Amino acid sequence: MTSLPGVHRFGVAGKQPLLLLHSSQSNSGQWRSLITQLEAQFDILAVDLLGYGKAPAAEDIEPEAFRFTDELPRVLEAIVAAQWQQPITVVGHSYGGALALKIALEKPVSVRELVVFEPVAFHILEANEPARIEIEKIAAQMYQHDAEAATRAFVDYWNQPGYFDALPERIRAGMVLQAGKVTKDFAALMGEPHKLSDYRHVDMPVLVLQGKHTQESARCVAHHLLQVMPNAQAEILNCGHMGPVTHAPLVNPEIVAFVTKEHEVVA
């Protein structure tokens, strides 16, 4: 544990630093099995993003105004508090993956390598792209007054129809309480000012993981990013967008293999 609420530290101090960033409607606990596999080799920070897990809420920011610039300072504070001296490895999923891309692009800290599972950087999609239109419809549903209906639409979109209603009541209730932060997450993802061409500066080794059974919005984002990031490779796995949660035994070996081998940066 660290002194920052919602920031959890595992592994061995002095080993390779590893930052884990989770998806929307989740928390750092989604990485529990991955942490178990890597804690002997890494110094790990698993961060609950704002509004999730034990992190503070973001109640003082209007949903439409929320941006990654509101999310990022707390993550950087955790890194500073950890007193990491080496370039870091960053692993992110979905919303956390898009945030990881911002860190890798802007380099407020030195990034050694990056693993992203379906980073939903929707801001790189053109306004007239079918994938952009598709995800904007989902985002718009989050603004309705019925938080349960909004959450059902969001969860089922990323999983399958009926998924939300099949969850235990306690989990459904917790997700509904987080609907407001999901709305803010969408605002950050849509409102990020970086353009697709900017991501050519993400020049460290990158592994882009995708689910075979995912949505067009996530598939298109990954496709576009892979066209511009100079040192990226891709793997498509037999799962959906929530693979790191639903198919950890399938996803984790890919992450472990990538972050435990040496990489050469393409000049």
Side-chain angles (χ1 to χ4, degrees), residues 49-52 55-67 70-71 74 95 180-182 184-185:
L49 299 173
L50 290 172
Y52 300 113
E59 295 175 348
D60 57 336
I61 305 171
E62 289 298 315
E64 297 89 344
F66 190 83
R67 295 292 183 269
D70 300 302
E71 189 82 69
R74 192 169 147 278
Y95 175 75
K181 180 55 184 3
V182 175
K184 293 176 181 179
D185 294 350

Side-chain angles (χ1 to χ4, degrees), residues 111-125:
V111 178
R112 176 179 184 267
E113 61 195 354
L114 176 67
V115 180
V116 284
F117 191 103
E118 298 204 353
V120 287
F122 297 132
H123 52 278
I124 69 171
L125 298 175

Side-chain angles (χ1 to χ4, degrees), residues 182-208:
V182 175
T183 302
K184 293 176 181 179
D185 294 350
F186 269 121
L189 294 167
M190 302 292 195
E192 173 64 28
H194 287 302
K195 306 298 183 186
L196 173 61
S197 59
D198 294 333
Y199 289 94
R200 70 186 187 278
H201 299 297
V202 178
D203 52 3
M204 70 288 296
V206 181
L207 174 62
V208 180

Side-chain angles (χ1 to χ4, degrees), residues 89 112-115 205-207 231 233 253-263:
T89 296
R112 176 179 184 267
E113 61 195 354
L114 176 67
V115 180
V206 181
L207 174 62
N231 200 10
Q233 63 187 75
E254 300 291 337
I255 299 175
V256 170
F258 187 81
V259 303
T260 56
K261 72 179 181 182
E262 295 297 320
H263 302 288

Side-chain angles (χ1 to χ4, degrees), residues 21-49:
L21 302 173
H22 64 81
S23 67
S24 293
Q25 278 289 15
S26 188
N27 59 62
S28 61
Q30 77 166 66
W31 300 114
R32 193 172 294 111
S33 62
L34 180 65
I35 290 168
T36 300
Q37 295 176 56
L38 291 174
E39 59 186 348
Q41 299 168 267
F42 288 83
D43 185 358
I44 304 170
L45 286 181
V47 180
D48 292 330
L49 299 173

